[in-house]
Amino acid sequence: MKVSAFEVASRYVYPSLRRRLVQVLREKGLKQDEIAELLHITQSAVSRYLRKDRGALIDVEQFKDIDEKVGEIAEWVIEERPSEYEIHKALVKLTLEMLGKGYVCSFHSLIDPTLNPEECNVCLELFT
């Protein structure tokens, strides 16, 4: 396997979850600078997520259970104003949940043609 599950998680899944979180916060009426402050990122990063210049390769909305949890994280961020580490922890947990449910297998096989999803159970075994 040339591209590991951890590479897929850090390079594609996590940024896609963060992009969706930014999008949900925007849908709730927050401005870019407000989102940046809440998520402890730059306004420029928020803009890139909204333009889909970053984190757009995996459509998180297609996984309804995950998308619902992103919505819950958005509410939590607005209400509690957690630290950047707490937000990071929540997004990493959600990243691992996506891997454990096999939601990323077909995408992984697209970026690593040597991967056979029918033979690989790494994420399903490690993250469920």
Side-chain angles (χ1 to χ4, degrees):
M1 189 164 35
K2 294 180 182 165
V3 179
S4 77
F6 288 112
E7 289 176 276
V8 172
S10 67
R11 291 177 62 194
Y12 303 102
V13 181
Y14 185 95
S16 295
L17 287 168
R18 186 183 256 182
R19 184 199 60 79
R20 181 63 182 138
L21 178 57
V22 166
Q23 186 179 31
V24 169
L25 290 168
R26 185 74 175 122
E27 290 167 1
K28 291 183 176 297
L30 277 73
K31 296 177 184 172
Q32 288 187 19
D33 60 330
E34 295 171 319
I35 295 168
E37 183 180 332
L38 283 171
L39 298 182
H40 310 279
I41 60 177
T42 66
Q43 185 276 325
S44 175
V46 170
S47 178
R48 287 193 302 271
Y49 284 121
L50 291 172
R51 284 193 322 258
K52 295 186 178 182
D53 290 345
R54 188 185 273 187
L57 293 177
I58 297 174
D59 179 15
V60 173
E61 289 179 85
Q62 71 179 310
F63 309 109
K64 297 301 178 197
D65 57 330
I66 299 297
D67 197 45
E68 185 177 304
K69 289 181 181 179
V70 172
E72 291 169 6
I73 292 171
E75 289 295 330
W76 170 65
V77 166
I78 292 168
E79 292 171 14
E80 306 272 332
R81 302 181 71 88
S83 73
E84 65 183 299
Y85 303 110
E86 292 170 308
I87 295 168
H88 176 67
K89 181 171 78 172
L91 290 175
V92 167
K93 285 173 76 172
L94 204 48
T95 297
L96 296 178
E97 184 175 335
M98 282 186 72
L99 293 173
K101 290 184 173 188
Y103 290 166
V104 185
C105 298
S106 60
F107 176 79
H108 191 175
S109 68
L110 290 175
I111 60 170
D112 184 352
T114 66
L115 178 85
N116 181 349
E118 293 176 16
E119 293 179 7
C120 178
N121 291 317
V122 172
C123 295
L124 299 176
E125 291 177 14
L126 288 176
F127 306 119
T128 54

